[in-house]
Every structure is written in structure tokens, then in C-alpha cells.
Amino acid sequence: METKSIMIVGVGGQGSLLASRLIGNVLLSGGYDVKVSEVHGMSQRGGSVVTYVKYGDKVFSPVIEKGEADIIISFELLEAARWVSYLKKGGSLITSTQRIDPMPVITGTDGYPDDIANKITELGIEVTAVDALELAREAGGVKASNVVLMGVAASKMDFEDELWQDAIKQCVPPKFLELNQKAFELGMNV
Amino acid sequence: MKKLMLGNEAFARGLYEAGVTVASSYPGTPSTEITEHLAEYDEVYSEWAPNEKVALEVAIGASIAGSRSFSAMKHVGLNVAADPLYTVSYTGVNGGLVIAVADDPGMHSSQNEQDSRHHAIASKVMMIEPSDSSECKEFVKTAYELSEKFDTPVIVRMSTRIAHSQSSVEINERVLPEQKEYTKNVQKYVMMPSMARGRHVFVEERTQKLIEYAEASPLNTVIDNGGDTGIITSGAAYQYAREAMGENSSYLKLGIVNPLPVELLKDFCSKYKTVYVAEELDDIIETHCKKIGMNVTGKEIFGFTGELSQAIIAEKLLGKKNDSVEFTESVPVRPPVMCAGCPHRGVFYSLSKNKITVSGDIGCYTLGASAPLSAMDTTICMGASVSALHGFNKARGEKAEKSTVAVIGDSTFMHSGITGLVNIAYNATNSTVIILDNSITGMTGHQQNPTTGKNIKGDPAAAVNLEELCKAVGIKRVKVVDPYNLEETERVILEELDAPEPSVIISRRPCALLKYVEHKPSLTVSAEKCKSCKMCLKLGCPAISMKDGKAVIDSTQCVGCSICTDVCKFKAIS
């Protein structure tokens, strides 16, 4: 099979590492060759962060370039706008409706574009916009909004639920397992 | 069993399987997780050393003692460890010695984009370069065999995309080789001129043997797809080239990047009409190819800066570009920022408010340079804040001494700030040094250091007393402030700048991200009391923004540090 490419984008601290590990484990158990490329260090500190997940018979490059991604999962609206050019034609976007102002917006030197999800739809992209923060709150903690979005992604991908459940057990500390299972389920049912 | 592993995690597994028993490193992105994962194996002694020079010397000692030993660092860390590196090349090893050095093309988390292969060439040390997690593990094991066979340290060169990408790895058992006998051998281990001359001859002979080995080593592989085009490449660049060109090209993948083979390259070049060299950063392979008379194309199309990618290679070699859509409006940048509740913020706010010139250093607090705090004038390398402040003050005199400070973190101070402080005391400037003591090595993801009272495993350890240390080197004025107390922090900074002798201010409060730090409830802004003066925005706190003309605090980010309540003149935040 041809290599598939998924990008997880967001703001440093939103939990993109956990999300990418979750999906990486699902794909490995699914029998694919997998590469997951993460960002550590400086850019993690509240900056724009991106994780690449690629799978197929044999994956070479760990990174995804403009026009190559099949799916982008965005934890924040502005980041969806920033990275949308990485989608290939016919690609789809799953985004949280959460808004986190970057420093140039906070200090007033730049503005936050409005109506981002609709503007992306107008580009011919299939957009699924979800209030992941609210669903995570419902599951018991706002920090689980990353897992809510993984649930949404899972509903659009063709992997057995058992693989996802095993991956959650592997990646989440036991203390937070139940909360994350609920968050995942709420995402699945969006 | 197959497992998805980061390159760095697989590297650590390789060290474990190869029977390493002593490891000493200093954290540095993107190398840090190698040693963090290694510390999870109880059979291996691992430690965080105060700096890379100490770390490598520890590994050298363990190697001479007969054990397989290891040291990891980032590219700039190898500069710090260059002194022992260039001479351990001469002494060679007893137990195998492997050094990991992680380059950072694209500078995701670094102050420069240097190419570590230059150090391997200059020190005449063998260097190998894996291209995925599985190779990380296998190359490390081979590195120990080569180290012991050829009596050389071996550097394993990593880069960000290899270190921080996960791919599948087959797990094997640990094989612990018997510790080698230690016998006194001054000709080999005492590098004074008469002995070193003999060892230099050995080094040159060793290089010739390593070149012979490289000609037929399984680490250098040819993928022959026929055709007219060949690409010589290594590491991450190999993956980009394979993805971009597929079967439209043949490949010579160099696992050994120093020394480079001669006949293997000549043979490869002779088979194809056009041969490209795809390598990140400098033109090491390309220059070598040209030196041996091969006609190759490299940097003139790929350039020297940033990372390569499959898109760049496809565009340059095939003239192919992907279709893509663009968001129709400009998207504001999102640079990294100091976290909400970061203890450094209070210090930088005070420095910014008083327009103080700041000699900066390497760590989370380098983010103090960003707007709106904009409170940093220079950042060079680890420790330079302290020594450069002294030079700045010597050059500009008393006026500078009263308006310039150095800022340096606790871990960076232990790394290489102390010697600069000794110099300030010894050679007398009335300099003011602020140690930002957040009780952890922050930027690299919370590693212990000699000031934290814990070792790499989190067990209790001796803790350096910063106050006593500063006094011991000759600084009489040592003050401690709590950076959450803005009034005190500003007052002490101004007092110490004004003092007619050198001083150290220790700004002490643990990193807000540390698990043991208890967060207070989120603060809120009273919309009635808020006069929209935007004073609170000057703190550069990511939790505070304006909504409908009033300040608001994001409760998912705020940790209740409350310094914003001190800057609000209208008492609108509580």
C-alpha cells in the first residue's frame, strides 16, 4: 500500500506526544511499518508544535511536507490554519474549536483570524470541528482533549476498536485510564 | 518482539544490549533521551555530569578501566568535550568507548547549526550514522565491536529527525562482555610529548585500516536500481532521498561517515551518468568525492542551511512540486514562550521595566529575549553570560556595571558559569550575576543536576550550596530572592547593580511544571475593575489575553502564581 500521512498539530503543552504515541501503537499493532516524528525541546514551550505519523508497507522519510498529509488533527484553530497547506488534495481536517492566542495576538501586534473552520471548508477541505475541551471536561478533565480528538480520528479510520483500547492502556498512566477511555468514547461518538 | 521506539530510546537499548556498564552525559536536545532511557536499566550505571567535558572524561576512565562505556551530548556539547576527545583519539580504548553526538539541522532547539562530522575528521575518530531507530540500536552494538577491534573511540552521529522519530525495533537480550584487564601502560595512556608522538603514528595507521574497513563494511550499503542516476547519502538524508526518488535512482548509503571509503565511492560513481550527494549541513562527503576526482553535484543545488526533505530533493532532481492549498489570510506566528507560572518571568519583568542590559545564556530563560519582555541582549553558549558580562563591563566601565546583569540557570551555572564567576571575583568587576535557580534542568525536560539534591534516578544526592559556592570563590554579596515577589526582586536587583562590588542574586523558585509543585487555583479578572490598561499583558504570560476590550485569564493555563495581581494598579485580578 501507498504510505499514508497524518499530522497532529497544536500548541506546546496540549499533549500531542501522547496522541502520536497512541496512534503509532495502533498502527504498529495493525501490522504496518510506522514512523512517528516528534518535537522536543525549545519549540515545545507554548510554541506551534507538529507531529508526523506515517504508515504503510515501508516508510522512509519521517517527515511530512506541503501537500502530502491525508489527515490533519489539530488541537487548536489557528494551528489548523497554519498547517492546512500540508494536506493533499482531498485530505481532511479534524480540529478542536479551542482558541489559544499566540504572543503576537496577546500583545496586540497581530490579529487572530475569525471563522477559521469555515474558511478552511471554503478551500475544499472536509472539516470536522469539535469542541474537544468541553467533551474532555465532560469526561472528567480538560487535559484529555487530546484523547477526545483521537476518538474523532478513530471514527474516521478503519482500525478495530480493540487496537485503540489496547493503545490507550499502553500509553496512559493507570490513574487516568478511565478518564481517557471516556474521553476517547465521547470523541468516537461525535 | 517488535516495539515502536524513539531513535534515542533504541540507542539506549543498543547500549544495554551491548553490555555497557558506565555512562555519563550532559542533557542537550536532541540527545537527552538516550541517557534518560539508559537510566531505566538498573544493570547500567548512568549519571548526569555537570558538563560534557566531565562526562566524556568519566567514560574515558571507565573505558581505560576495562568496561564498555558511553557518553552522550548535543553537537555544541561536543565542543565542550573536544579537549578530551582529541586526545582519547591518541590513547585509544581498553573497554569499548562510544560517544553519541546529536546534530540539529534546522535548529529546532539550538544556537547554531554546526556539523559534528568536522570534529570526527579533526580528531581522527571513527564516526558512524544510523538512519532509523532499528539502525540506532544495531549500529551502537557494532560501534563497540569496532571500538575494541580498532582501538578507537567511536562517535555515533544522530540528528533531530533520527533521535526524535519512532520506528519499529526488534528487542534482543543483553550480552555482557567480560571486563577487560587493566594493566598500566604509560606509552598508551600518558599523553606527554614523547609518548604522544608514538601514538600519533598509531592514529594515522589506524585511519588507513579504518578506510580499508569502510571499503567493504556492511555499514556502507549500495542499493542498485540500475538507471542513470546515483545518490550518495547518509542518515536522515538517505530517508528523504529514498522517499523522493524511489526506484528512479540508485543509492550508496554511507553508515560510516568518517573515515570515508575511496574505492567504494569511485566504483559507485563509475556506474551512473549523474551522481548527486545528498547530505545535511556541510559538504563533507561531496568534498571528499571531489578530492578523489569524482564528478558529483551536491551543495550547489541543496545548499548548506536547514534540513533536507523529500520535497526539496524531488523539486531539485525531478522538478516536481506537490499541489497544496493555502489559508487565505496571514496566520500570526506562535513562537515558544515562558510557561504560565514560570518563575523566570518576575526577574525578566523587573529587568525589562528598568531597561537593564542582559547578558543571557542557554536554557528556558533564553525565552526572556522574546517580546513583550524583550529582556536579553546576548546569547552565545553555555556559561557565556557570566564571562561575557565581565568583558562587557571591563570595556564600558562603571556605567555598564550599574546597568548590566548576567542571567544563568542553575544547571548552566554548574555546567560552565562557575569559572566565569571565579574570573569576576579574581579580576574584579562590579558585575551582577543572577542565578535563575528553578531547581531543575528545564529546557531539556527536567533532568536533575548537582544543585537539586537528587541523582539521575531521583535518589538523594549531595547538593551544591549555591550561596556558599559563590562566597567561596570570592563574592561577598550573595542575595536570595523569590521571583514571585516582584517588589523584592526589583529592589534587590537595583541594590546589587548599585553596589560597589561584585554580587550574585539567586532567584529561587522551582519550575512550575515540576510534579511536586502545587498549583494554586486559577486567577480571574473582574471585568468591572479592569480599565483595559494592558499592564498585565507586559508580563508575556500566555494565560492572559484581551477579550472584548478586557483582560481575561485562561483557567486551563493559569497556575495562580499571582505576579499579575502585583502589576495591576486597579486590583482587578484576584
Side-chain angles (χ1 to χ4, degrees):
Chain A
M1 85 174 246
E2 210 176 298
T3 297
K4 295 264 184 201
S5 302
I6 302 170
M7 281 170 70
I8 300 170
V9 304
V11 179
Q14 280 191 301
S16 62
L17 286 190
L18 172 72
S20 64
R21 282 172 187 199
L22 210 95
I23 211 164
N25 275 297
V26 168
L27 295 166
L28 189 72
S29 315
Y32 295 103
D33 187 37
V34 186
K35 280 192 179 166
V36 180
S37 186
E38 309 173 344
V39 178
H40 299 218
M42 166 89 72
S43 35
Q44 261 183 302
R45 300 277 172 266
S48 168
V49 294
V50 53
T51 307
Y52 308 111
V53 181
K54 294 171 83 166
Y55 64 104
D57 295 334
K58 176 73 190 157
V59 180
F60 291 104
S61 168
V63 301
I64 298 170
E65 291 286 314
K66 276 190 179 178
E68 289 184 353
D70 294 279
I71 302 174
I72 292 181
I73 302 163
S74 178
F75 292 6
E76 199 272 349
L77 277 172
L78 186 66
E79 295 311 308
R82 187 187 316 285
W83 296 100
V84 70
S85 61
Y86 281 67
L87 276 177
K88 63 165 67 153
K89 271 203 163 151
S92 60
L93 168 73
I94 296 163
T95 183
S96 168
T97 53
Q98 189 180 356
R99 166 179 168 158
I100 300 173
D101 286 359
M103 206 40 74
V105 173
I106 289 177
T107 57
T109 56
D110 214 336
Y112 195 107
D114 50 22
D115 211 16
I116 288 174
N118 282 332
K119 284 175 186 163
I120 294 176
T121 308
E122 281 165 20
L123 296 171
I125 306 287
E126 183 201 319
V127 179
T128 310
V130 180
D131 190 346
L133 214 55
E134 185 49 42
L135 291 174
R137 208 169 269 136
E138 202 180 313
V142 286
K143 287 231 160 90
S145 61
N146 53 355
V147 179
V148 170
L149 289 164
M150 287 303 108
V152 182
S155 72
K156 294 179 181 297
M157 294 166 75
D158 207 13
F159 297 108
E160 285 167 44
D161 188 53
E162 201 186 316
L163 293 181
W164 288 101
Q165 295 302 335
D166 286 349
I168 294 171
K169 275 180 210 147
Q170 257 180 53
C171 300
V172 171
K175 197 161 74 158
F176 300 113
L177 182 61
E178 206 177 313
L179 190 162
N180 281 287
Q181 282 168 331
K182 183 146 188 234
F184 183 80
E185 196 191 316
L186 288 170
M188 272 290 267
N189 297 332
V190 161
Chain B
M1 189 184 82
K2 273 201 165 178
K3 217 185 142 195
L4 208 52
M5 280 186 167
L6 272 184
N8 282 348
E9 186 182 1
F11 197 121
R13 181 73 202 182
L15 293 167
Y16 170 78
E17 290 178 8
V20 169
T21 57
V22 177
S24 183
S25 305
Y26 185 80
T29 315
S31 71
T32 312
E33 300 82 5
I34 301 174
T35 309
E36 283 189 322
H37 282 290
L38 190 60
E40 291 165 7
Y41 299 106
D42 285 332
E43 297 93 325
V44 183
Y45 170 77
S46 355
E47 65 177 28
W48 292 125
N51 66 34
E52 295 85 354
K53 179 181 185 298
V54 173
L56 179 53
E57 289 159 352
V58 169
I60 290 170
S63 161
I64 292 171
S67 290
R68 287 192 164 181
S69 66
F70 172 70
S71 184
M73 57 206 67
K74 67 184 292 175
H75 59 335
V76 287
L78 190 59
N79 303 342
V80 179
D83 199 0
L85 174 71
Y86 282 60
T87 302
V88 75
S89 171
Y90 279 35
T91 65
V93 305
N94 186 20
L97 171 60
V98 169
I99 302 156
V101 58
D103 284 1
D104 190 15
M107 292 179 276
H108 297 271
S109 204
S110 303
Q111 69 269 39
N112 75 26
E113 208 169 15
Q114 71 184 51
D115 188 327
S116 295
R117 292 177 297 174
H118 291 294
H119 270 310
I121 295 167
S123 65
K124 306 185 186 223
V125 166
M126 186 182 206
M127 178 181 258
I128 64 177
E129 181 172 23
S131 73
D132 62 22
S133 297
S134 174
E135 282 188 2
C136 285
K137 201 196 82 168
E138 296 311 319
F139 277 33
V140 167
K141 291 162 80 173
T142 307
Y144 279 98
E145 287 163 21
L146 296 172
S147 173
E148 287 164 4
K149 182 175 172 196
F150 290 100
D151 192 12
T152 179
V154 176
I155 303 172
V156 181
R157 183 195 189 212
M158 301 285 279
S159 64
T160 305
R161 297 300 182 187
I162 305 305
H164 288 164
S165 289
Q166 300 182 59
S167 55
S168 75
V169 177
E170 188 76 44
I171 304 296
N172 302 103
E173 292 303 310
R174 174 173 165 94
V175 179
L176 184 65
E178 205 169 312
Q179 189 176 50
K180 298 241 162 88
E181 200 67 35
Y182 169 71
T183 41
K184 184 169 175 170
N185 183 348
V186 293
Q187 295 297 328
K188 181 165 158 57
Y189 295 122
V190 181
M191 285 300 94
M192 52 203 283
S194 54
M195 282 81 129
R197 283 184 201 112
R199 291 304 292 182
H200 188 185
V201 173
F202 161 79
V203 168
E204 297 306 325
E205 289 166 358
R206 180 181 70 198
T207 299
Q208 290 312 310
K209 285 182 191 159
L210 287 171
I211 293 171
E212 267 169 53
Y213 171 77
E215 300 288 3
S217 166
L219 297 175
N220 293 334
T221 50
V222 173
I223 298 147
D224 191 354
N225 291 322
D228 289 341
T229 308
I231 300 177
I232 303 166
T233 183
S234 72
Y238 160 74
Q239 303 289 1
Y240 303 142
R242 271 302 289 270
E243 181 146 327
M245 301 297 287
E247 304 205 337
N248 296 319
S249 175
S250 295
Y251 307 88
L252 170 54
K253 174 180 177 295
L254 294 170
I256 303 172
V257 291
N258 189 58
L260 290 166
V262 175
E263 296 309 319
L264 180 65
L265 286 162
K266 283 185 176 172
D267 185 52
F268 183 79
C269 290
S270 72
K271 286 186 183 154
Y272 308 99
K273 213 166 92 187
T274 315
V275 177
Y276 297 99
V277 177
E279 59 188 321
E280 289 187 309
L281 302 179
D282 290 342
D283 52 352
I284 308 269
I285 299 170
E286 182 184 350
T287 303
H288 174 78
C289 287
K290 288 178 174 166
K291 189 171 137 192
I292 60 171
M294 298 299 102
N295 180 23
V296 296
T297 305
K299 291 297 163 188
E300 63 187 272
I301 54 169
F302 295 128
F304 288 85
T305 57
E307 296 183 283
L308 272 179
S309 71
Q310 64 271 24
I312 294 173
I313 293 174
E315 191 186 336
K316 300 288 181 189
L317 303 194
L318 302 173
K320 215 171 84 181
K321 249 185 143 170
N322 292 326
D323 277 347
S324 63
V325 295
E326 285 291 340
F327 193 69
T328 43
E329 290 171 35
S330 89
V331 177
V333 294
R334 189 187 301 276
V337 290
M338 279 185 219
C339 308
C342 177
H344 303 325
R345 180 168 285 108
V347 173
F348 284 106
Y349 177 76
S350 304
L351 296 172
S352 175
K353 185 180 161 193
N354 291 284
K355 299 190 169 51
I356 290 170
T357 303
V358 180
S359 177
D361 222 299
I362 308 283
C364 283
Y365 48 90
T366 315
L367 295 169
S370 309
L373 292 166
S374 308
M376 197 165 287
D377 291 68
T378 62
T379 301
I380 311 294
C381 66
M382 296 283 285
S385 61
V386 182
S387 13
L389 171 68
H390 176 74
F392 193 90
N393 287 344
K394 282 288 181 196
R396 298 193 75 86
E398 196 186 335
K399 208 174 158 207
E401 287 175 342
K402 291 192 182 300
S403 61
T404 312
V405 299
V407 292
I408 183 166
D410 48 331
S411 187
T412 310
F413 183 70
M414 294 314 297
H415 177 281
S416 48
I418 299 168
T419 40
L421 190 65
V422 169
N423 195 44
I424 284 174
Y426 173 52
N427 287 313
T429 43
N430 294 334
S431 294
T432 303
V433 173
I434 303 176
I435 301 175
L436 301 163
D437 179 8
N438 65 348
S439 308
I440 204 73
T441 312
M443 180 61 88
T444 44
H446 287 178
Q447 289 73 37
Q448 304 297 337
N449 69 54
T451 69
T452 65
K454 286 181 186 158
N455 66 18
I456 195 169
K457 298 216 183 234
D459 296 329
V464 170
N465 182 319
L466 284 173
E467 292 92 316
E468 294 303 321
L469 175 66
C470 295
K471 284 179 190 159
V473 307
I475 306 292
K476 294 190 187 100
R477 299 180 69 96
V478 179
K479 300 280 164 65
V480 180
V481 299
D482 175 1
Y484 277 5
N485 184 337
L486 277 185
E487 185 277 320
E488 178 196 37
T489 301
E490 184 178 0
R491 177 173 49 76
V492 172
I493 290 173
L494 296 178
E495 274 170 19
E496 295 313 310
L497 278 168
D498 206 38
E501 52 183 326
S503 48
V504 169
I505 302 166
I506 300 168
S507 166
R508 181 167 288 148
R509 174 147 303 251
C511 172
L513 299 182
L514 280 167
K515 289 213 171 88
Y516 67 80
V517 172
E518 283 184 23
H519 293 166
K520 291 189 184 148
S522 170
L523 299 166
T524 51
V525 183
S526 153
E528 284 116 66
K529 288 187 191 165
C530 176
K531 302 281 182 248
S532 311
C533 71
K534 300 188 180 173
M535 269 305 286
C536 54
L537 298 186
K538 293 193 173 168
L539 290 167
C541 176
I544 310 177
S545 59
M546 296 297 283
K547 200 176 172 189
D548 305 325
K550 301 282 180 183
V552 286
I553 293 177
D554 176 358
S555 64
T556 66
Q557 291 196 65
C558 177
V559 299
C561 81
S562 84
I563 64 169
C564 54
T565 60
D566 292 345
V567 300
C568 180
K569 288 176 190 151
F570 306 102
K571 310 228 172 298
I573 308 174
S574 57

